[in-house]
Amino acid sequence: MLWSGWGDPAKARELPEEIRVLLHDLLGVRAPQAPAAALESVRVPPVALSGAHLDALGRAVGPEHVLTSHEARVRHTRGKSTPDLLRMRAGDGSDAPDAVVLPGSHDEVAELLRLCSAERVAVVPFGGGTSVVGGLAASREGFAGVVALDLSRLDRLLAVDEESMLATFEPGVRAPEAERLLAARGLTLGHFPQSFEYASLGGFAAARSSGQASAGYGRFDDMVMGLTVATPAGTLDLGRAPRSAAGPDLRQLVLGSEGAFGVITALRLRVRRAPAERVYEGWRFASFAEGTAAVRALAQEGPLPTVLRLSDETETMIGLARPDAIGQGGSGCLVISGYEGDAVAERRAAASAVLRRAGGEPLGTGPGQAWEHGRFSAPYLRDSLLAAGATVETLETAGFWSNLPRLYDAVRLALLGALGSPLVMCHVSHVYETGASLYFTVVTPQEGDPVEQWERAKRQVSAAVVEAGGTVSHHHGVGRDHREAYAREIGPAGVAVLRAVKAGLDPAGVLNPGVLIP
């Protein structure tokens, strides 16, 4: 993973000159005055942990698995939000951990948590490092130091139960490797978020991830049947049956907890048979309202495609559904529908009839194939835009169908009010019988302090989302960025519940301090 951007550095590319000119003419984007910092020039604070602390960590996991090199610390600094990347490109590594620790078992994780609790060392669980909500920048105040608990050594497929259609993984398994291991048995998770190429299974659970094929396979939290979690207070073994009436489902405390309550060390996941066939296609609707009505009909009446997303007029015009061909969009609003598994032809025909009745114009498989080809490319485009002098970021929310137009307008107006005349694009990324998510992409010229520029806009948008009755996050999580708005969303009683759970499982407060808990 590129330390100051996204993904494979070999895939990074500059924007074509015509796109640079267009950005300048339409938005006033100008090239940054200074080049991005080199890795060796990133400024990190001195290691705060004492030699005794580092020796104790080494005894827990082996000294070769405790890293304090400049590069290791830089590569475990923050996540991949635009503010994270802007700070790294400016050479600001002030949130770097003092050490990177790589445990190799549940017992080693438990011992590290015991040690760090006793010595007041903050612990940041680190999977793929793909957080986009400030979920990997711990507060240092009151702690002897900060360690990044890198789970990449916990990378095994532990068991497969094909009778129950379950697979048990360690948390550090990356999504592509999980699919490779399952494919050998003719199975799949079917979880393909935009972070798929680099994110870990433990990270999916900790952030309540939702993949691009969630209409067919469900969200990641739908897939989690069981969890093993190391906490400073002891081990949680959760999930004895598909469903239970034995009190509240404690798995739900861990799902979405972002490492603030414990460290996931094993996951029992529902799997499916690998699809025999995949077909993706495009449809055009005259307006976002018409397209929304069409995808709502499929969500409520069926048949529901495996993949279903709707771009608004601006996103369709720009062509963001095809990041490798920006500027080659069209008019109206683009729907991408995809079908995987068995009886694809029958399901496709039935869904197509619904879309046609709703006013959709079929565009064939070309747009669907283009989307499939570029489905993981958008973060690379963001890096190119940042290098050209544009601030580009995403944000997402969700609401009930009846409230979706209000929510859509509220976010757009907040962005326009905060940023002047940005380019604002949106798509419906996930649908349910009762509502849907809205995923926004924003492009604006970088100001003198682009981090403060975006954080100001994000505060205004978060307030607008809460006021408009939406949730502050559908699948990115809370982290630090959404923490205050999240407190307003759940209210004082909800905050009290979270703090009580935190006190019970992590009494010293060492797990990801400053993240999630208001």
Side-chain angles (χ1 to χ4, degrees), residues 205-260:
R208 282 194 190 275
S209 175
S210 192
Q212 295 167 342
S214 67
Y217 293 99
R219 294 164 53 98
F220 196 77
D221 44 357
D222 297 327
M223 303 176 189
V224 177
M225 298 294 106
L227 292 161
T228 302
V229 186
T231 83
T235 295
L236 294 172
D237 281 311
L238 306 173
R240 290 172 171 258
R243 293 289 185 270
S244 171
D249 188 348
L250 296 184
R251 289 174 298 186
Q252 299 303 321
L253 284 177
V254 179
L255 296 169
S257 65
E258 301 181 35

Side-chain angles (χ1 to χ4, degrees), residues 353-411:
V354 174
L355 294 172
R356 212 176 255 107
R357 284 197 303 270
E361 173 193 350
L363 302 177
T365 57
Q369 290 171 348
W371 171 80
E372 181 187 17
H373 175 72
R375 65 195 297 190
F376 304 127
S377 300
Y380 291 100
L381 175 62
R382 179 183 59 168
D383 287 355
S384 302
L385 288 164
L386 289 175
T391 292
V392 55
E393 183 59 299
T394 61
L395 53 90
E396 39 80 52
T397 181
F400 298 116
W401 289 113
S402 59
N403 196 43
L404 218 59
R406 178 190 177 200
L407 194 55
Y408 175 79
D409 290 341
V411 172

Side-chain angles (χ1 to χ4, degrees), residues 41-308:
S41 66
V42 174
R43 304 176 301 278
V44 300
V47 173
L49 292 173
S50 67
H53 284 135
L54 295 172
D55 288 344
L57 294 172
R59 288 193 294 273
V61 299
E64 70 275 20
H65 300 307
V66 178
L67 312 178
T68 58
S69 70
H70 178 83
E71 180 172 352
R73 295 176 68 201
V74 168
R75 290 189 178 279
H76 289 78
T77 301
R78 308 188 187 99
K80 297 299 181 182
S81 72
T82 290
D84 290 339
L85 299 186
L86 287 169
R87 289 186 175 103
M88 297 308 289
R89 291 173 64 86
D92 174 7
S94 56
D95 290 319
D98 297 300
V100 179
V101 184
L102 296 93
S105 68
H106 171 88
D107 289 345
E108 288 186 0
V109 173
E111 174 59 18
L112 285 168
L113 295 186
R114 185 201 64 77
L115 173 66
C116 290
S117 294
E119 298 296 326
R120 299 261 333 142
V121 175
V123 179
V124 181
F126 194 99
T130 61
S131 169
V132 292
V133 291
L136 299 174
S139 172
R140 282 183 170 271
E141 186 175 355
F143 295 98
V146 176
V147 299
L149 192 70
D150 187 317
L151 297 164
S152 58
R153 290 180 62 215
L154 293 172
D155 62 353
R156 296 178 298 161
L157 170 61
L158 298 175
V160 176
D161 176 355
E162 292 198 42
E163 184 175 0
S164 304
M165 293 298 281
L166 297 170
T168 304
F169 287 93
E170 290 182 321
V173 179
R174 300 292 176 90
E177 177 65 5
E179 287 297 326
R180 186 190 69 79
L181 291 168
L182 291 173
R185 299 170 178 263
L187 303 172
T188 183
L189 279 171
H191 190 69
F192 302 102
Q194 200 164 76
S195 61
F196 170 79
E197 294 173 304
Y198 294 94
S200 68
L201 300 186
F204 288 155
R208 282 194 190 275
S209 175
S210 192
Q212 295 167 342
S214 67
Y217 293 99
R219 294 164 53 98
F220 196 77
D221 44 357
D222 297 327
M223 303 176 189
V224 177
M225 298 294 106
L227 292 161
T228 302
V229 186
T231 83
T235 295
L236 294 172
D237 281 311
L238 306 173
R240 290 172 171 258
R243 293 289 185 270
S244 171
D249 188 348
L250 296 184
R251 289 174 298 186
Q252 299 303 321
L253 284 177
V254 179
L255 296 169
S257 65
E258 301 181 35
F261 296 153
V263 180
I264 297 168
T265 58
L267 309 93
R268 187 180 303 114
L269 304 174
R270 181 207 70 204
V271 295
R272 299 275 177 81
R273 298 294 176 195
E277 185 180 4
R278 292 184 176 92
V279 177
Y280 305 100
E281 63 183 3
W283 291 76
R284 178 181 289 118
F285 285 83
S287 69
F288 194 51
E290 289 188 17
T292 300
V295 297
R296 177 170 62 86
L298 286 175
Q300 293 178 337
E301 303 166 19
L304 189 60
T306 310
V307 173
L308 186 62

